[in-house]
Structure formats: C-alpha cells, structure tokens
Amino acid sequence: MDKIKFTLNGVEKEFLGDRGASAKVFLREHGILTMREGCDGEGNCGLCSIILDGEVVNSCLLVVGQLENREVYTTEFFSNKRNLNTLQKAMVLAGIVQCGYCSPSIYLALNNLLKVKPQPSKEDVKDALSSILCRCTGYEQMFDVVTIYNKLLNNEPVDEEKLLSNLRVVEKSVCKLDGPKLVRGEKSFVEDYVDNDACILKVLRSPHASAYIKEIDVTEAEKLPGVVYILTHKNSPKKVYGRSGQSYPEPSPYDRRLIGQKVYHVGDRVAAVLAESEEIAIEAMKLIKVEYEVLKPVTTLEEAMAPDAPIVHNGPLTYGTGKVVDNEGLDPREVPVFYNFPVGDNIRKNMVASSKGGMGDVEKAFGEADTIVERTYRTKKVHCTPSEPHVVYSKMVEDRLVVHASTQVPWHARRLLASLLEIPENKIRVIKENVGGGFGAKQDMLIEDLACYLTWVTGRGVYFRFTREEEFIAGTSRHDMIIGVKLGAKKDGTITAIQMNVKSNTGAFGNHALTVSKNVCNVPLPLFIVPNIKFDIDIYYSNLPNAGAYRGYGAPQGTFALMTAIDELSHEIGVDYLDILKKNTVRSGDRLDLLAQLAEIGKGNAEEIASCGLIDTMEKAAEMMNWKNKPKSKCDHIKIGHGMAIVQQKSGIPDIDTANAMVKMLNDGTFIVHMGGTDLGTGMNTVSAQLAAEHLQTELDAIHVIGADSDNTPFDVGAYASSGTHFSCGAVLNAVKKMETIILEAASELMNEKVEDLKLEYPSKVVGKNSEITYEQIAFKTQSGKGKGQLIAHANFTTSLHAFPYGTHMCEVAVNTNTGEVKINKYYAIHDCGVPINPKLAKGQIYGAVIQSIGHSLYEEMKFDKDGKPLNANLLDYKVAKIKDIPEDFKVEFVYTEEENEKYGPRKSVGEVSINGAAPAIATAIHDATGVWVREWPFTPEQILKALGKI
C-alpha cells in the first residue's frame, strides 16, 4: 500500500492505497457517492466527473497516483447540507433533474462554465456538457438552467408555465420532489445502500450463440479463498420461469432456468460466482473449465423463418390450459417451455407467438381502390442504454429477503421471486430505489432472480451489477422487425384499406414477444378512421440477445412503417401528406370499432374517443414549421426537406392494469400519500403530490409521498405502458377524493353542521355556513382518546377505457448529398396530453424521448457477426445521442383538451408517445429533400448514398 496525499473537497488528506488503482473506485470507496458508473471506465459517459486542479475530468480515466499533490473537488463539496446553492436550484427549477444519475456531473460542468463565462452561449453550454451522457432529459432544457441561474442571481422572478388560472397547483411547473437530494448527490440509488460485508456476484457467460454445455468443472475455482458459492446447471433449480414484468397470467412464455445446460445466445449464463470481492469473483471465473457442443445459431429473422432452420427452443412444451402436445424424443439438455395459454405459438418452427385480426373486407376494398401502395420497411435492433446499468442488492433481514432494486415493477418482481424460490410473498420485501433510467429495460426480472436465489441459499448479502457490455448482451433491447404495409385509397386521399404484416425477432427468450409485436399495429392503426383493416403478426425466436420492453413498446416500429407508407401514398395520388393525414385521422367523438380487435389479450371493446386534439396539434406544428414553404439551400449539395408524423399511445392498459393508493392525515393536519406507483425519474411522485394538494386545498409541502415499497405501499402493476399519470396518480386522486369525504364527515360532527353545507378551502381548512375548522384541529380531535381515529383513505384505479394521448412531430432536415449526412435543423413536437399537470416535467419527458428516437433513426444499431457475436457492445462503438446531436431549433408545445367529469383534465401520458415520431418524420423529410425513400432504420450516410446511387 502506498501513501497518497491530495486535497479532497478543500481538505488536505493522506490516504493509503494502490497508486495504480482506479481513481473513481478509490474515491467511491472513500465516501464520494457521486462517482457513478455507466461505461466500464471507457471515459464515454462522464458520470464520474470530478474537478481536478480546476478542470472537469472523468475520474475513471485516472489512476490514484495522478491525484498526488493535486486538488480534487466533487459535487459533495458544493452541497451545503440541506440548502441548495443557486446553480443547484436553477437545475431543479429548469426540470433537468429527472432520474438524477447524471445530475452531479452536469452540476460540476455547468459550475465550471459559469465561473469562466457568467453569460455563456448555447455553444458554450454544449461544449461544457458534451462528454456527459444523459438519457432522460433530451438536453434542451439544460440551456434554460443558465437563464434561470442568472435570474436567481439578480433576484428576478422565474416565469411560471401556467395557462389555467382556476387551478392553484395543477398545471404548474413545481420542482420535482426528489430533485434537491439528487442534485446534491445524496444516497439515492441501489449502489448507495450496499453494506460493507456484501458479496459480489459475477457471471461467466457463453462465448457461443447456441451450444450445449458438455462438461463444466468448478473444482479449482471453489478452492480459491474468498469464493462463497458457485452456481452452474448442475446445482441450479430446474424450475422454468418467465422474466416478463407483466400481470399474471402473462402471455409471454416461461422459457428459462436460472442456469440451464443449453446456452441460447452469446452472453447467456454458464456459471454464477459469489465471492467476497469483485477481484476474487473474476479470478474464480478464469479457473472454471467449460466444454461446449457448439450448435448452428439462428441470427436473423430470415434464418429463423426458414423451413430448415435450427430450432432455438426444442424442449418439452406444456400449457396451463392442459393443451396436449407431442414431447417425445426431445433432447433432455433443452430447457422446457411453458405457456399459460396458447398464443398462436409453434416453437418447433421458432414461432414464439402470432396474432391476426382486423375488420371489414380489405380484399374487396383493394379491388375498388383507385390507388394501391405496397411497401416493406425494416427496423434494426437498438438498445435503450440507461445511464445506470441493471443493478440489485439483496440481503436477509429477520429471516426475510429484502431486495433493493432498480426496477420498474417491484410487485411483479416480488411475485416472480416468490414463485422461483417457492416461498410466500410475505417473506419478500422489494424496495424500489431511485432508478437511473428504465425505459422498459428494467421492466423484466433480469438480475434479481440470480442475486436473490443466492442470498436465499447462502444467507449472504449479494450485490449484482451489470457491466456496460453485459447491459448489451444480457439485457433487453428493441425488437428488430420486417413490416409490410399495403394501403388502398381513393383519388381524393380517402384511405379505404390498410393491411400490415409484421415479422418480429424476439431473440433468445420470449419476454414481451407477443405484446410488443401486437403494439406495432395496435398503436398506430387507431389513429385513422378506415373501414377495412387487416393485420398479421408473427414473432420468432433467434440466438441473439433477448429483446423485450423498450419505451414505445413496438409503436415506434409500426408508426415508422405506417406513416412513411402514407407519405408514399400521398406522392402516388398527388395529395399533400399533411392533408391526407387530416382527412383520415380520428377526432373527438369518433367511435373506434377497431379497438375491439386490438386488446393485448383476447378481445377488447369498441369505444368513443372522449377527447382528441390531434387536428389542433397538426395545425399548430404546420404553422410553426411553415410546412409548405421550406427554405432554399445555399449549397447545391445540401438539400432541405420537411417531414412529419402523427402519433398516439396508451395511458395504461384498460381492464388489465390497476393501481392503489392510501392517504393518511397526520396530527398536524398534513398528509402522507402511500402510492404503489413506480417513479423512474419522470416526476410521478411530484404529480401525485400536486393532485393531492390541489384537491385537498393545502400546500404542496403538506403532502409527503412514499412510493413503490412492497411493505409500505399498496399494490401497483408498475411503471410501464405509460400508466403512471393516468393509473397510479388516478389512484391517488381517488384516495384524496375519499379523504375529502372523510374530512367533511369528521368536520360535520365537530362543527355541528351538515356535510352538504361544508367545503374544503385553502389553506387547509373546512368552511361551513357558521364556522370553520383547520385540518390540524380536525386531526387533533379525531386522533384523541375520544376521537374516531386517524383519518385514512384508501382507493384504487381501474378503467375499461383508453385515454389516448396524441401528437404531431415535424422536422426540417438538411441532407448532404456528398456524404449522406443528415442534420436536423428543426424539430417540433406538439402534444395533446389533456392538461399537463407539471408542464416542465412533461416537456422533459418529450424532449428525452425525441432524442432517443433520433438516435435509433440515424445511427443506433446493435451489430452482430454471422455467429451471433456482438460487435459493438460498448458506448464507444454503439453511438447514442449527446447534447451536440440535438436539433438546432428544438421545441415542445401543448394543446389542451378537456373531458367531462375530469376536473384536472384527462391525465393523458407523454413518456412513450413522444418516442414514436422521429423515425417517420425524418424519413419523410429525407424524401422531401432528396426524392429518395429510406425504408430501413437507422438512416445511415451509407444507406442514403446508396439510395442516391452514389455508392
């Protein structure tokens, strides 16, 4: 051990350590929590930033010896206990603290910039933040931080985004409740709660895409001091289970074991090593000897669909319905597959599931159409790359399994773990810590199963965290697909028939295979009032890493194909693309009979659309873009084009999703809300507090929210399907309505007035005809020895109706016809989300989703060789958007819609719908600029140059 001296956060200190060790790890070990990790030390995420001798640097690129005799400052130095400094306050007010995993690094970069340039330009801000990966915010609001910061310094008011004067807290951009702790870098994430005696779990992964494990020898590895337990297929439970975070009974197959004798993709589990340290676990993995029987893999959709394709899953097949199948003569090394019920599957042909449906008579309609357009589109496999990789910490507490999880689905995780471990659910507590980005990737039980099993059998605390490479090869991604679209139309632009044919690649396991792929049609088709519709969907296994849930959940692929095809139709018949969309789109009051065919499971219900601001969003976007008057290019090789798409999504899943909440009045008349909803950084807890404060006529500070702890909050399905504001916050709203009734009843007795003569009134009181009483007085009386007891209200939220959010996305691109490069000059996203309860947070969700979709449209793609080996499983080779990639002119606006009996608006979602528009908007803009169609994302320079005939 070496002596190292340096100044840490203003205090000269002397440490003992290895000069050659990572500076990031060293600082973390010495109490600096803000040393986050997102790129395996490649220096590509900027989440471990420090200020070293006045310069912002990535600590992961330094060794401890480089800190010798130097000054190191971290975010902790600038955090004055519970008080926010001016810049931290500006960051929270601007709405850029979403998941918060990157917030400490963003603070350091902006702090250093503002010291040098108090009035920095937009380019200065971009340069300062260029090395930091933020997957949530979309970066645009980071420019607002500088404006707000200077206003605060000058004691100037910060403008509020508010249009509805009749509401006090709702439709107001209040600060996110957990913003202060996140911007200060306080304990928030799973990694911050790991005990010092925790074991480290590492997984030996398969180098082959498809193989049987002929032999595995862990003898030498088990002899290594510090090795606690090694799990292989030999001592692993034989139980087959599914990992999908979906309501039971899931339509996804149960098709994996903790560790099986067959591996199904490069990166599949071969052995799990639990050790006292990461170094010991890694050394032990090197000592494990494995002999494989390598099989021919299936690596593309075309290979999976081939008549003579190798069978990916060829184990015994069973159904919960008792359906009988022939399982004779199968290799016992295969993992069995179980379905709760048939889903159009044929795994002997690699088909995980299939679905078909529609209405009307498409063949007759095509026969009568003036014009028919038939096109095929392709979408590639892309990864959501959350800043925080998958991570879990499990331990035993009083003979119960306690799980600190970065998950979107704590209750589904508890149920799945109980089933796997064959223990009651009351023996498990799942605590959802702050999540450093979810985006659907954390909707599944990808790591909790292994960590919790090893905790249960050893009694030891287990810390398991994916590396960035593991995030790519063992996490889940977006399904790659081939989508055929056929349209029939009249000369005037009336669309008479739509047919969609979807082929989807789910990868090695069937998580969300059916439901994601159905959404390819389920989401975009109800945008249109078309009498004749048909869809066919087939989903296939392959030996690529698992696909699964990713923000948009199939809708981005389907919207890209359908919207681009409609633009191609518009050019065939000579009707403007915007005009053809307006002519055929849904409006308020329209009846959607198609919804009866589009349920996730079984049949749905036709319904009338209560509110739809889609036409308004189109008109507003067209006016902002000056749609029909694109600017002239100053260079012959730069071509300018306009493109657009209309989008929609769900706000939870009718008749399947459910949410619960409880509200308690405390002794001083303040409230605690216990909500099951899972806030992933979106601000759902804040929105629920706003609704509660508004309805209970109290201050926002009088509402405290506890969320997503399976011991302390009621059941909720979790954060997916854009259900948060509609379902989870809907449960809170129902609970506070019940609390209103309970308060009035209690006040009636205390005031000796009729309930119907009383009302809640701000601030925190009940007013009657003759008197008034405060909440504090009510609480004191009800909680006294002669009172009726503490006032507690519980409620749930379910619905059979959709609350569709709508939007229009328009963009202007400049295409360099010499290089194929596409630059987005302008991007406008105009949304109908009912009434945005917190406009800044809503805008942040939209900006973030748009940037993610620009990435998968222009450059993101997971690449594999012919044997299924990943070629870019890191953040150096897999390109994601950063601040310098955002559009030059980037705007998000809202149109407001109302519904009867919805006092605070229809609470439509924004988080997923906004990821659906970029691909078709950019594709149609590229055509408008160059005259060529690009029908496969990403729209790389090579693809565009090929379309132009230049290569």
Side-chain angles (χ1 to χ4, degrees):
M1 300 287 281
D2 305 308
K3 285 185 178 179
I4 303 110
K5 270 189 180 181
F6 62 92
T7 298
L8 177 59
N9 289 332
V11 180
E12 190 174 305
K13 293 189 175 183
E14 183 174 284
F15 302 91
L16 287 176
D18 179 359
R19 290 178 178 274
S22 163
K24 180 193 76 68
V25 174
F26 181 86
L27 290 169
R28 177 86 191 179
E29 289 173 346
H30 286 81
I32 306 300
L33 294 181
T34 54
M35 296 299 97
R36 303 301 179 193
E37 170 68 82
C39 67
D40 297 345
E42 293 175 333
N44 197 256
C45 72
L47 302 181
C48 62
S49 295
I50 60 174
I51 297 176
L52 181 65
D53 291 344
E55 299 293 329
V56 178
V57 298
N58 294 333
S59 61
C60 68
L61 297 178
L62 301 173
V63 294
V64 176
Q66 290 176 285
L67 305 181
E68 182 83 35
N69 298 321
R70 302 177 78 176
E71 288 190 339
V72 175
Y73 288 92
T74 69
T75 301
E76 283 81 351
F77 174 78
F78 302 95
S79 298
N80 181 18
K81 297 181 181 177
R82 295 187 65 251
N83 297 319
L84 293 181
N85 64 37
T86 305
L87 178 55
Q88 290 171 334
K89 196 176 295 183
M91 289 174 63
V92 177
L93 284 169
I96 70 164
V97 184
Q98 289 193 27
C99 84
Y101 202 69
C102 64
S103 295
S105 291
I106 289 171
Y107 172 83
L108 291 180
L110 289 176
N111 180 73
N112 255 28
L113 171 65
L114 291 167
K115 275 186 176 180
V116 178
K117 294 185 177 182
Q119 300 286 346
S121 67
K122 195 172 181 178
E123 290 306 312
D124 291 330
V125 175
K126 283 184 179 182
D127 188 59
L129 299 177
S130 60
S131 67
I132 299 173
L133 174 66
C134 175
R135 289 297 275 164
C136 296
T137 66
Y139 301 101
E140 180 65 27
Q141 289 168 304
M142 293 184 185
F143 305 117
D144 297 339
V145 175
V146 174
T147 303
I148 295 171
Y149 171 78
N150 282 300
K151 283 187 175 184
L152 293 174
L153 284 181
N154 296 320
N155 293 315
E156 297 175 14
V158 177
D159 297 333
E160 286 285 354
E161 295 186 46
K162 188 163 178 59
L163 295 177
L164 303 181
S165 58
N166 61 316
L167 298 176
R168 185 175 45 82
V169 185
V170 166
E171 204 259 328
K172 184 176 181 182
S173 293
V174 304
C175 293
K176 195 159 161 281
L177 296 183
D178 61 356
K181 78 164 185 174
L182 291 168
V183 79
R184 287 193 296 255
E186 296 173 3
K187 272 191 175 185
S188 303
F189 301 95
V190 171
E191 62 203 52
D192 302 333
Y193 295 96
V194 179
D195 297 314
N196 291 332
D197 63 349
C199 294
I200 303 299
L201 174 59
K202 301 295 286 186
V203 174
L204 179 66
R205 299 191 178 278
S206 171
H208 306 292
S210 182
Y212 294 119
I213 298 171
K214 291 179 68 175
E215 187 53 60
I216 184 166
D217 184 355
V218 299
T219 307
E220 295 303 313
E222 288 177 328
K223 292 178 183 177
L224 191 67
V227 170
V228 176
Y229 197 92
I230 298 179
L231 185 71
T232 71
H233 76 271
K234 292 182 177 181
N235 60 342
S236 175
K238 303 308 177 190
K239 187 178 182 72
V240 177
Y241 60 98
R243 300 183 294 174
S244 300
Q246 296 175 292
S247 295
Y248 178 85
E250 309 95 327
S252 301
Y254 297 5
D255 54 6
R256 83 155 301 137
R257 288 173 170 155
L258 269 177
I259 300 180
Q261 194 173 357
K262 185 179 182 181
V263 291
Y264 290 90
H265 63 91
V266 172
D268 202 359
R269 299 168 179 174
V270 174
V273 178
L274 190 65
E276 300 289 355
S277 72
E278 183 175 12
E279 293 78 13
I280 294 170
I282 291 172
E283 188 60 32
M285 287 196 296
K286 295 175 184 176
L287 298 174
I288 297 174
K289 299 173 184 176
V290 187
E291 183 181 352
Y292 296 96
E293 179 184 327
V294 180
L295 307 172
K296 183 180 178 181
V298 175
T299 61
T300 67
L301 261 173
E302 289 82 357
E303 289 178 3
M305 294 186 290
D308 58 347
I311 301 173
V312 176
H313 280 268
N314 202 21
L317 175 63
T318 55
Y319 295 88
T321 58
K323 178 182 176 181
V324 179
V325 294
D326 182 8
N327 286 317
E328 293 297 319
L330 301 176
D331 195 312
R333 295 173 294 180
E334 294 274 350
V335 173
V337 176
F338 169 83
Y339 285 90
N340 285 301
F341 45 84
V343 289
D345 52 282
N346 184 358
I347 65 170
R348 308 300 178 217
K349 295 292 184 181
N350 291 327
M351 188 177 289
V352 190
S354 63
S355 179
K356 61 179 60 179
M359 65 180 193
D361 187 339
V362 293
E363 295 306 323
K364 183 174 183 289
F366 285 135
E368 296 173 352
D370 295 325
T371 303
I372 293 175
V373 166
E374 189 168 6
R375 302 287 188 268
T376 300
Y377 303 89
R378 181 114 199 200
T379 65
K380 295 299 185 67
K381 191 176 182 72
V382 294
H383 202 279
C384 65
T385 59
S387 299
E388 173 205 46
H390 280 76
V391 59
V392 66
Y393 175 49
S394 55
K395 62 181 181 180
M396 298 301 298
V397 177
E398 298 178 353
D399 204 35
R400 295 178 75 220
L401 179 66
V402 175
V403 188
H404 296 269
S406 180
T407 180
Q408 297 175 223
V409 287
W411 278 269
H412 289 332
R414 183 179 66 177
R415 171 176 52 83
L416 294 170
L417 288 169
S419 175
L420 173 64
L421 299 174
E422 298 181 334
I423 61 175
E425 287 191 34
N426 68 357
K427 291 292 185 182
I428 302 173
R429 178 186 181 188
V430 179
I431 305 167
K432 191 280 302 180
E433 305 296 356
N434 282 77
V435 177
F439 314 122
K442 294 175 183 174
Q443 191 184 332
D444 289 342
M445 187 178 67
L446 299 185
I447 60 173
E448 294 85 354
D449 53 352
L450 201 51
C452 291
Y453 175 78
L454 290 172
T455 288
W456 190 253
V457 298
T458 66
R460 296 293 302 273
V462 175
Y463 181 52
F464 185 23
R465 178 190 178 96
F466 274 176
T467 64
R468 181 55 63 181
E469 180 185 25
E470 286 177 311
E471 193 68 34
F472 279 102
I473 66 174
T476 56
S477 59
R478 200 180 290 292
H479 293 67
D480 61 294
M481 297 183 181
I482 300 171
I483 306 171
V485 179
K486 186 176 181 181
L487 303 173
K490 298 298 184 180
K491 291 177 182 178
D492 66 354
T494 302
I495 300 175
T496 56
I498 303 175
Q499 182 172 334
M500 296 183 72
N501 188 293
V502 180
K503 307 295 182 185
S504 177
N505 182 356
T506 197
F509 301 101
N511 312 20
H512 305 272
L514 176 64
T515 45
V516 164
S517 303
K518 285 187 73 170
N519 259 16
V520 175
C521 302
N522 286 9
V523 172
L525 284 174
L527 279 165
F528 302 100
I529 301 298
V530 176
N532 305 289
I533 291 176
K534 181 182 179 183
F535 57 87
D536 292 273
I537 303 161
D538 297 324
I539 308 105
Y540 294 87
Y541 280 121
S542 73
N543 292 116
L544 295 183
N546 203 178
Y550 179 9
R551 191 179 202 166
Y553 206 77
Q557 297 98 309
T559 306
F560 162 58
L562 184 56
M563 291 298 152
T564 308
I566 291 173
D567 193 20
E568 296 203 43
L569 172 67
S570 76
H571 284 79
E572 289 285 331
I573 61 178
V575 176
D576 183 79
Y577 180 30
L578 175 60
D579 293 337
I580 202 172
L581 291 176
K582 282 185 177 182
K583 188 176 188 65
N584 293 280
T585 195
V586 66
R587 288 166 168 78
S588 296
D590 283 344
R591 179 180 170 83
L592 284 177
D593 293 319
L594 181 63
L595 294 179
Q597 304 296 321
L598 298 180
E600 289 212 352
I601 302 170
K603 295 291 185 181
N605 300 302
E607 48 182 280
E608 184 178 295
I609 301 305
S611 67
C612 174
L614 195 48
I615 294 294
D616 291 339
T617 68
M618 284 192 261
E619 290 177 348
K620 188 169 185 175
E623 181 182 358
M624 291 170 63
M625 185 63 69
N626 197 4
W627 170 251
K628 294 185 179 180
N629 296 293
K630 62 183 178 183
K632 301 290 184 183
S633 174
K634 296 178 181 179
C635 303
D636 289 342
H637 67 285
I638 303 294
K639 306 297 183 184
I640 308 294
H642 285 170
M644 69 169 292
I646 56 174
V647 295
Q648 76 161 29
Q649 196 81 25
K650 301 173 185 175
S651 298
I653 310 171
D655 292 326
I656 293 179
D657 286 351
T658 181
N660 294 271
M662 180 174 66
V663 182
K664 298 188 299 190
M665 178 184 277
L666 305 187
N667 197 53
D668 61 354
T670 60
F671 300 89
I672 292 181
V673 172
H674 298 257
M675 67 179 299
T678 309
D679 191 333
L680 306 180
T682 59
M684 183 171 63
N685 287 1
T686 306
V687 167
S688 70
Q690 287 179 258
L691 287 165
E694 185 77 51
H695 196 82
L696 293 175
Q697 293 296 314
T698 191
E699 296 285 357
L700 187 63
D701 284 348
I703 307 294
H704 176 70
V705 179
I706 298 173
D709 177 337
S710 66
D711 268 15
N712 294 314
T713 57
F715 177 81
D716 190 290
V717 293
Y720 59 88
S722 295
S723 61
T725 302
H726 197 62
F727 276 78
S728 300
C729 294
V732 171
L733 185 55
N734 285 346
V736 297
K737 287 177 180 178
K738 278 193 176 181
M739 176 57 75
E740 176 188 20
T741 299
I742 294 170
I743 290 172
L744 292 176
E745 289 172 349
S748 173
E749 294 179 17
L750 296 170
M751 297 168 69
N752 198 25
E753 294 199 44
K754 294 179 180 178
V755 169
E756 55 266 31
D757 292 334
L758 304 178
K759 65 176 180 178
L760 305 187
E761 192 171 289
Y762 179 82
S764 306
K765 60 186 178 181
V766 178
V767 176
K769 284 185 174 181
N770 304 313
S771 61
E772 63 181 47
I773 188 171
T774 67
Y775 290 175
E776 185 173 9
Q777 291 169 322
I778 294 171
F780 176 77
K781 293 287 188 181
T782 55
Q783 294 178 32
S784 70
K786 294 183 179 180
K788 62 191 300 181
Q790 184 179 21
L791 303 189
I792 301 174
H794 178 276
N796 78 320
F797 183 90
T798 59
T799 182
S800 296
L801 301 176
H802 289 82
F804 290 120
Y806 296 99
T808 297
H809 288 210
M810 281 191 181
C811 71
E812 178 183 291
V813 303
V815 182
N816 186 323
T817 57
N818 288 340
T819 66
E821 180 187 5
V822 177
K823 180 183 178 184
I824 302 176
N825 295 334
K826 299 177 182 179
Y827 197 106
Y828 302 150
I830 316 302
H831 279 259
D832 159 25
C833 63
V835 174
I837 295 169
N838 189 309
K840 270 199 172 71
L841 295 182
K843 284 189 175 185
Q845 287 291 294
I846 297 169
Y847 282 125
V850 169
I851 289 303
Q852 286 185 333
S853 56
I854 286 174
H856 72 230
S857 300
L858 292 181
Y859 33 80
E860 291 186 42
E861 179 186 354
M862 296 175 69
K863 295 185 176 180
F864 303 87
D865 68 12
K866 61 181 178 60
D867 297 316
K869 290 185 170 63
L871 301 176
N872 59 341
N874 58 71
L875 290 179
L876 286 175
D877 297 315
Y878 184 91
K879 303 301 182 184
V880 296
K882 290 186 177 178
I883 194 167
K884 289 195 173 182
D885 300 306
I886 70 174
E888 286 298 314
D889 183 1
F890 195 10
K891 290 185 175 69
V892 171
E893 300 290 346
F894 297 109
V895 299
Y896 284 49
T897 54
E898 298 179 354
E899 292 181 15
E900 191 176 355
N901 300 322
E902 290 288 356
K903 185 176 180 181
Y904 310 118
R907 302 191 322 278
K908 302 177 185 180
S909 64
V910 296
E912 287 189 283
V913 62
S914 38
I915 204 169
N916 298 337
I922 295 170
T924 55
I926 290 170
H927 175 266
D928 188 50
T930 64
V932 299
W933 293 106
V934 282
R935 301 188 179 102
E936 178 179 303
W937 84 32
F939 316 134
T940 61
E942 292 83 358
Q943 188 187 157
I944 290 170
L945 290 176
K946 283 180 181 177
L948 290 168
K950 294 196 172 184
I951 59 173

